[in-house]
Amino acid sequence: MNVLLLGSGGREHALAWKIAASPLLTKLYATPGNPGIGSEAELTKLDITDHAAVVAFCRETKIDLVVVGPEGPLVAGITDDLRAENIRVFGPSKAAARLEGSKGFTKDLCARYNIPTAAYGRFGDLASAKAYVEKTGAPIVIKADGLAAGKGVTVAMTMEEAQAALASCFDGSFGAAGAEVVIEEFMTGEEASFFCLCDGTTALPFGTAQDHKRVGDGDVGPNTGGMGAYSPAPVMTPDMIERTMREIIEPTMRGMAELGAPFAGILFAGLMITESGPKLIEYNTRFGDPECQVLVMRLRDDLLVLLNAATDGQLAHMSVRWRDEAALTVVMAARGYPGTPEKGSVIRGVDAAAGEGVQIFHAGTAINGGALVANGGRVLNVTATGATVGEAQARAYAALDRIDWPDGFCRRDIGWQAVAREQAG
């Protein structure tokens, strides 16, 4: 098979690494890619916002499957334009990608189909949003309705934080994404990420993970796109997975089909595990980043076979097998992230840091004058496996410390909840 992978981040490097291992693969192309992806695929400089150019490239190179990595092209409807030209593509339609593209759409779906989630309100102007916050009080959660690169959510512990978050949404900090806001009740519990491969009818559980969103050790500071993750998530017991499927995933699949937008692709449920059970925080309609990196390290099966089955509506006949090991990834970010990251600093020692049970996935890198340099906010994902989360953590940080990049930083406590559980157990 000839496969085209769209995207340029750590998630896409992880997907490229796993797809490249498939015996089904003839040739893997990627666009725009990064230096890490370039070691697994032939990079091409397509503009992925130009859907006609992507279609033309697929025709020219006889692409058998397009795999869409990031959320932007999905929300923009690239899968619809490819399918209209009879090009096979893994990913949801534009209508189905609203599950990520509009938090308000998802909250309304939850209300309609009785899916457990936080109480909420939707607002299109600052005055009514402020009035709702003043009536409800803090802590409270403020979310820009649209895509904001993982940065449009504020968990406001005080009224001042809530008012500042509303102001930043409505003053254009998130562009069109913040033109409407969703305000939610504050939920307490443990967060977890749950994934399902979907083909429009069947949802096949596809692993669990826990992400670390805040920039600093001890979960302090602003939210980011994710500073690290580990898999599996201990809180997602077999019973919790069964409840999540029954109470959240299956009603969502039924609801989307009834709305004329059956969901096919990867459905990523961000969950809060509360005293009363799982509740949906939000949906993403693509592999998580950095959760994808730990999932591919643990996946025993051929990812390309599974993506084909999802694309062809054949998941009812499939199962997914996982390695017994845990996996953990630490994000190395550029100074200034999650604000304005400093680009161009030289990174050395990446190849030497990889080894047995360790993969370094490139997220925001480039080659400049023959040297590897930082070219984004989240730059590298140092990913390791181990018999326990603690062992994977130790191996990941040992590899990370072999990388020579004075201008980079990371959290030093990724996996702390699971490691504490292991030590207590």
Side-chain angles (χ1 to χ4, degrees):
M1 293 180 65
N2 293 328
V3 177
L4 172 63
L5 173 65
L6 305 185
S8 62
R11 164 186 48 227
E12 287 76 33
H13 188 186
L15 290 171
W17 175 76
K18 193 67 177 174
I19 291 168
S22 173
L24 290 182
L25 185 71
T26 305
K27 182 146 191 181
L28 178 61
Y29 297 90
T31 189
N34 65 39
I37 296 170
S39 65
E40 308 289 354
E42 181 178 313
L43 300 187
T44 176
K45 288 195 181 339
L46 276 176
D47 175 2
I48 60 178
T49 65
D50 183 346
H51 297 182
V54 177
V55 166
F57 179 84
C58 291
R59 291 245 180 280
E60 199 180 297
T61 50
K62 298 184 170 55
I63 295 296
D64 299 296
L65 181 68
V66 179
V67 178
V68 185
E71 61 275 21
L74 296 171
V75 171
I78 194 163
T79 61
D80 304 73
D81 291 342
L82 288 165
R83 288 187 185 111
E85 298 293 331
N86 294 315
I87 295 165
R88 296 171 70 250
V89 55
F90 175 81
S93 66
K94 181 177 184 175
R98 284 179 297 170
L99 283 171
E100 177 163 7
S102 169
K103 293 178 175 67
F105 170 82
T106 297
K107 297 298 285 191
D108 288 352
L109 182 89
C110 289
R112 183 170 173 179
Y113 291 96
N114 224 12
I115 295 164
T117 189
Y120 74 104
R122 293 178 72 173
F123 303 92
D125 67 279
L126 181 58
S128 58
K130 274 178 112 164
Y132 183 83
V133 165
E134 279 160 14
K135 189 178 78 178
T136 312
I140 198 162
V141 182
I142 314 292
K143 296 181 176 180
D145 179 72
L147 298 181
K151 297 170 194 168
V153 176
T154 301
V155 180
M157 302 310 291
T158 66
M159 290 297 285
E160 291 74 23
E161 283 179 302
Q163 302 289 12
L166 287 176
S168 70
C169 282
F170 286 113
D171 73 8
S173 294
F174 304 111
E180 184 174 311
V181 300
V182 172
I183 304 176
E184 296 182 352
E185 71 168 324
F186 175 78
M187 294 191 288
T188 55
E190 189 170 343
E191 287 191 45
S193 302
F194 180 65
F195 298 83
C196 286
L197 276 175
C198 306
D199 64 8
T201 307
T202 299
L204 183 65
F206 192 78
T208 66
Q210 266 177 329
D211 183 17
H212 296 65
K213 280 281 182 224
R214 293 191 180 254
V215 74
D217 284 16
D219 292 321
V220 299
N223 270 337
T224 70
M227 294 300 293
Y230 60 92
S231 176
V235 72
M236 292 303 289
T237 61
D239 175 62
M240 198 58 69
I241 289 172
E242 192 273 329
R243 281 193 65 181
T244 301
M245 290 298 292
R246 187 177 73 247
E247 297 173 20
I248 297 176
I249 303 297
E250 287 163 11
T252 298
M253 293 292 285
R254 281 196 305 274
M256 292 302 285
E258 283 178 26
L259 293 173
F263 189 88
I266 189 89
L267 188 58
F268 164 7
L271 303 173
M272 184 70 78
I273 309 304
T274 71
E275 285 182 353
S276 60
K279 289 189 176 184
L280 182 70
I281 300 170
E282 64 183 17
Y283 275 130
N284 294 322
T285 60
R286 34 74 191 183
F287 288 97
D289 189 351
E291 293 93 341
C292 182
Q293 290 83 313
V294 288
L295 291 176
V296 298
M297 293 286 278
R298 294 186 54 239
L299 180 64
R300 279 179 62 189
D301 289 310
D302 184 328
L303 180 61
L304 191 49
V305 169
L306 292 165
L307 299 181
N308 271 316
T311 304
D312 294 339
Q314 297 296 313
L315 287 178
H317 312 294
M318 304 298 288
S319 60
V320 182
R321 297 174 303 161
W322 300 97
R323 301 186 197 285
D324 292 335
E325 299 108 316
L328 182 140
T329 189
V330 182
V331 171
M332 295 188 80
R335 190 181 291 151
Y337 181 78
T340 304
E342 296 175 14
K343 295 184 180 181
S345 54
V346 175
I347 306 164
R348 298 179 180 87
V350 171
D351 292 339
E356 185 62 35
V358 176
Q359 290 290 332
I360 316 292
F361 295 118
H362 292 231
T365 63
I367 301 292
N368 187 0
L372 185 70
V373 299
N375 191 42
R378 296 185 295 168
V379 175
L380 295 170
N381 310 137
V382 183
T383 313
T385 55
T388 62
V389 175
E391 190 177 296
Q393 182 194 59
R395 194 177 276 172
Y397 281 111
L400 185 148
D401 289 336
R402 290 195 287 274
I403 295 171
D404 177 14
W405 182 31
D407 292 297
F409 75 95
C410 68
R411 279 182 58 165
R412 304 296 307 195
D413 64 347
I414 300 301
W416 67 268
Q417 281 175 301
V419 173
R421 266 198 180 94
E422 288 170 357
Q423 289 168 347

